Amino acid sequence: AWAAGGALSYRTGNYKDRLQLGASLYTSQKLYGPRDKDGTALLKKGQKSYSVLGEAYARLRLKGTLEFSGYRQALHLPYVNAQDSRMVPNTFEAYLLKDRDHPRFNYIAGYVTKIKRRNETSFIHMSEAAGAANSDEGLSMLGGLYRFSEHMNLGAVNYNTRDTLNIFYTEGHAAWDISDDLALRLSAQYTDQRSVGDELIGDIDTHVGGARLAASYRDAILTLAWTSTADGNSILSPYGGYPGYISLIVQDFNRAGEDAWLVGLSYTFARFGLPGLSAFANYAAGDTPDTGAGASPDQDELDFTIDYRFGGKLENLWLRARAAHVDQDGPGAVDQDDYRFIVNYSIPLR
């Protein structure tokens, strides 16, 4: 499929420094899309164009840096997020208390009733999005992030969809400046998932952990990562993108019993007189059990991404080209090539 579209967004100023209203209308219009080749998620099912009011929200500043936000809005959290890798992002109907601006401790608490997935026009209940047909349960959340220093933090969040699924996620980071040109960053993450209550999507009990080391030298960053998923089940991510360190263009490397590793390299070309040009490549490999309920093909994936952001009068123009090759080995193996060319242009109307 080829598609054109985007968003028209409006946000008011802060009435009496407290109340703000906003809305976003999204559209994806078909340029090319044979009906027998559906599945890119650029268009609605059936290769149809669509438009949707994805955001319509109110934000109320209560006291200090504490605010309330209600109704249709974008969220940017582990497992509950925009997953904005197609034409239109996920958005949610949610009612949240949050403090995003405190310099030391940030937190969020609230209730999410529904989600609008990337290439859909209707909002469905969170339990239904997780796979519980004809159910109407929402998701409650509580999370926080604490900064020990400028270079060290620890965060955790818990999501509970009644009678369906509980997801707990935690992640920590520490960074060190070795010299003016060299820096290191160490990160670790852990997810626990299990079915709850009436177990509307079946018996789920699994977890995944990972670690990542990134070393930056001048304009280059070398990344090494490792993750391991328990044998019980594959990791579910029904409310947005998976936050794992080895989530690539095509594969997430979080199948039941999968151990995976990654090496990546990114570079910006500013010192060659091309400040808008950057590129990165990732290679990952995952091994899974050869027998048993979690048996699946071993796989590896090689990704390339090139970005160019213009300057001057075209500073709002951003071009991105991506390519991925997945090679699987074993019963049921499916090799895959994925190519994407994306043009983004933001138009300030004020």
Side-chain angles (χ1 to χ4, degrees), residues 14 17-22 56-75 93-101 107-113 141:
N14 290 310
D17 200 32
R18 288 190 178 276
L19 179 63
Q20 184 180 68
L21 304 177
Y57 59 85
R59 289 178 183 160
L60 179 64
R61 186 174 295 275
L62 300 175
K63 183 178 181 181
T65 54
L66 176 64
E67 70 174 36
F68 169 82
S69 61
Y71 203 47
R72 295 184 177 180
Q73 55 192 293
L75 298 178
E93 291 185 3
Y95 305 87
L96 306 169
L97 284 172
K98 50 191 171 181
D99 188 331
R100 300 176 298 176
D101 300 326
Y107 57 88
I108 185 168
Y111 191 72
V112 185
T113 59
M141 70 167 71

Side-chain angles (χ1 to χ4, degrees), residues 296-317:
S296 56
D298 294 338
Q299 63 182 358
D300 60 73
E301 179 174 341
L302 178 63
D303 295 350
F304 293 97
T305 299
I306 299 175
D307 291 305
Y308 190 80
R309 297 177 183 269
F310 290 77
K313 294 182 179 179
L314 295 176
E315 64 178 357
N316 295 324
L317 179 60

Side-chain angles (χ1 to χ4, degrees), residues 100-301:
R100 300 176 298 176
D101 300 326
H102 193 278
R104 180 71 71 176
F105 180 59
N106 304 129
Y107 57 88
I108 185 168
Y111 191 72
V112 185
T113 59
K114 295 181 179 181
I115 177 176
K116 183 209 67 65
R117 289 169 166 162
R118 292 178 296 175
N119 63 326
E120 296 180 359
T121 56
S122 59
F123 285 74
I124 62 174
H125 288 94
M126 300 297 279
S127 55
E128 185 178 354
N134 303 315
S135 63
D136 58 0
E137 303 293 349
L139 176 149
S140 57
M141 70 167 71
L142 178 65
L145 173 71
Y146 185 79
R147 296 177 179 85
F148 298 93
S149 68
E150 182 181 355
H151 300 295
M152 185 178 296
N153 62 62
L154 177 65
V157 62
N158 194 81
Y159 311 105
N160 186 279
T161 304
R162 184 180 176 185
D163 290 330
T164 309
L165 180 68
N166 191 88
I167 303 174
F168 171 78
Y169 177 77
T170 184
E171 183 175 14
H173 304 276
W176 301 269
D177 293 324
I178 308 302
S179 67
D180 290 341
D181 293 327
L182 178 65
L184 298 177
R185 182 180 180 90
L186 179 64
S187 305
Q189 62 179 185
Y190 176 79
T191 296
D192 178 89
Q193 294 187 343
R194 58 191 65 206
S195 50
V196 292
D198 292 340
E199 297 184 334
L200 297 177
I201 58 173
D203 184 12
I204 305 295
D205 188 359
T206 190
H207 58 268
V208 60
R212 180 176 63 193
L213 176 65
S216 62
Y217 181 75
R218 295 185 177 178
D219 298 322
I221 300 176
L222 174 68
T223 301
L224 304 174
W226 166 86
T227 61
S228 181
T229 306
D231 294 335
N233 305 91
S234 298
I235 296 297
L236 303 179
S237 189
Y239 311 130
Y242 167 61
Y245 295 147
I246 312 184
S247 177
L248 300 188
I249 292 176
V250 178
Q251 299 293 346
D252 285 329
F253 293 86
N254 60 2
R255 297 170 297 168
E258 184 164 24
D259 295 322
W261 59 270
L262 170 143
V263 59
L265 181 65
S266 66
Y267 194 81
T268 59
F269 293 85
R271 70 175 57 241
F272 294 98
L274 297 168
L277 180 64
S278 63
F280 64 90
N282 288 310
Y283 174 79
D287 296 323
T288 54
D290 295 328
T291 59
S296 56
D298 294 338
Q299 63 182 358
D300 60 73
E301 179 174 341

Side-chain angles (χ1 to χ4, degrees), residues 32-39 46-47:
Y32 171 79
R35 289 190 176 183
D36 62 341
K37 296 183 178 181
D38 201 355
Q47 298 283 58

